[in-house]
Amino acid sequence: MIVIDDINEIKNYIIVQSAVTIGKFDGIHRGHMLLLNRILELKNEGYTAVVCMINQGKPGVLSFREKAEYLELLGVDYLINFRFTDEFAKQTPEQFISSFLMDKLDAAKVVVGNDFHFGYKRSGDTTTLKSFEKKYGYTCDFYEKLKEGSTVISSTEIRQSLGLGDMASAKVMLGRSYSICGTVVHGKHLGSTIGFPTINILPEEDKLVPKYGVYTSKVLVGSEEYRGITNIGEKPTVGGFPVSAETYIFDFDRDIYGEQVTVIPERFIREERKFASIDELKAQLDRDIEDARNI
């Protein structure tokens, strides 16, 4: 997959007969997969699969790296990191179609959600796209929002679930578990001194983390899977450490500093808080571990 980080760089590539989808794709949830699966179906028919990802400029359910890796695994041909400029934002809907979709991407198929808006002050919509099909020679596919029960699956709903520590709801809407991936780094080694050796990973800067607190967790180390408890937050009792996912892995005694691991927080146990002493923290950790093992 080719990643294009600036729309002005598109001219350096020859993109022909493309099937294009456009959106924020924050989290790449089940609703997004309707659009992605469609352009991948079209790829099998000979079209070039292009994803234009609108850059939100804020942490996402997936980091940009995670999105890119996921889309590459799916089989997308081009990922365009779409940043709006003042000049671009002033384009009329038809100018957007003509100068971007046609001139830059040679769009033959346009696949978007039914709430898609584009052009100056978001004045263009799916009706606008449809009205220019014959003039520019493309066709459109529009998709309704996907629902889980009565709830519309959306990035906003997923972010709210994460903010509440409701990992089960987030998982249902995403279609997979939320996870934090990273390299195990050194902390202050307090855990080892009180009998709870932990691993620390630092979320990427553009990665949204769930509600601060302690979770039961699944930990993937290479091809092996373990259980544990994870504190997500700033470790206020210790202080002086950035936001991290600090995990005590049950029945595990390997040195894995520098290795890549994936932590999957599964069930919220309690909020993060500052303890009056290390002994009080240790006593709480004993209770947390007992709770997690019972769960």
Side-chain angles (χ1 to χ4, degrees):
M1 182 180 75
I2 295 174
V3 179
I4 300 176
D5 202 45
D6 185 332
I7 60 173
N8 293 318
E9 296 176 4
I10 297 175
K11 64 179 181 295
N12 299 326
Y13 302 90
I14 301 174
I15 302 175
V16 295
Q17 195 75 356
S18 68
V20 183
T21 186
I22 306 170
K24 297 175 183 176
F25 296 101
D26 182 13
I28 310 185
H29 56 61
R30 288 166 51 201
H32 294 144
M33 288 305 301
L34 297 176
L35 310 180
L36 295 170
N37 286 335
R38 178 55 180 154
I39 67 166
L40 293 171
E41 287 175 359
L42 291 166
K43 176 179 177 176
N44 291 333
E45 297 175 15
Y47 296 88
T48 303
V50 177
V51 173
C52 295
M53 186 178 296
I54 299 170
N55 191 305
Q56 297 174 275
K58 63 181 180 180
V61 177
L62 291 178
S63 68
F64 183 78
R65 178 193 60 80
E66 289 173 321
K67 292 175 186 177
E69 288 181 357
Y70 193 70
L71 293 172
E72 184 169 27
L73 284 173
L74 288 175
V76 170
D77 295 310
Y78 287 87
L79 169 59
I80 299 171
N81 190 14
F82 196 94
R83 294 182 176 89
F84 282 103
T85 62
D86 289 340
E87 180 182 358
F88 203 90
K90 292 177 181 177
Q91 288 185 328
T92 66
E94 185 174 2
Q95 286 172 331
F96 174 86
I97 294 169
S98 175
S99 66
F100 182 67
L101 291 180
M102 305 312 301
D103 292 349
K104 287 184 170 60
L105 303 181
D106 189 33
K109 302 284 186 179
V110 181
V111 181
V112 292
N114 64 351
D115 61 344
F116 179 65
H117 286 78
F118 64 101
Y120 183 62
K121 294 186 176 180
R122 294 168 51 86
S123 55
D125 57 15
T126 53
T127 302
T128 314
L129 268 178
K130 192 73 177 175
S131 69
F132 284 108
E133 278 185 330
K134 290 184 179 179
K135 180 174 181 178
Y136 291 102
Y138 62 84
T139 58
C140 300
D141 289 340
F142 304 130
Y143 283 82
E144 296 284 338
K145 291 282 190 180
L146 193 64
K147 288 187 176 182
E148 176 63 32
S150 60
T151 301
V152 173
I153 294 176
S154 69
S155 300
T156 299
E157 288 288 340
I158 294 169
R159 296 170 79 94
Q160 288 176 352
S161 293
L162 293 176
L164 295 170
D166 185 354
M167 309 311 293
S169 294
K171 180 178 180 179
V172 168
M173 289 185 282
L174 283 168
R176 64 189 182 282
S177 297
Y178 168 93
S179 63
I180 301 174
C181 306
T183 303
V184 178
V185 299
H186 288 278
K188 295 190 174 182
H189 300 283
L190 174 63
S192 298
T193 67
I194 62 174
F196 299 102
T198 59
I199 62 167
N200 286 279
I201 61 174
L202 305 180
E204 295 170 87
E205 290 185 1
D206 62 342
K207 173 79 170 179
L208 179 73
V209 298
K211 180 179 181 179
Y212 287 2
V214 177
Y215 295 80
T216 63
S217 60
K218 183 187 298 182
V219 188
L220 308 180
V221 183
S223 61
E224 298 176 326
E225 179 181 306
Y226 300 89
R227 310 298 302 188
I229 59 169
T230 297
N231 182 85
I232 296 175
E234 299 173 330
K235 297 187 280 192
T237 303
V238 180
F241 204 77
V243 174
S244 68
E246 182 180 21
T247 303
Y248 173 70
I249 307 175
F250 301 156
D251 309 312
F252 185 86
D253 60 0
R254 284 168 46 196
D255 182 347
I256 55 172
Y257 286 113
E259 293 189 28
Q260 290 285 318
V261 302
T262 298
V263 173
I264 302 172
E266 295 189 312
R267 184 165 175 175
F268 187 81
I269 300 176
R270 65 170 175 85
E271 294 188 0
E272 183 181 52
R273 63 187 179 91
K274 184 174 183 178
F275 294 93
S277 67
I278 298 301
D279 286 340
E280 187 180 333
L281 169 61
K282 184 177 183 299
Q284 181 62 59
L285 287 173
D286 282 324
R287 292 191 290 271
D288 294 339
I289 291 169
E290 183 179 1
D291 289 344
R293 287 189 183 276
N294 288 335
I295 291 171

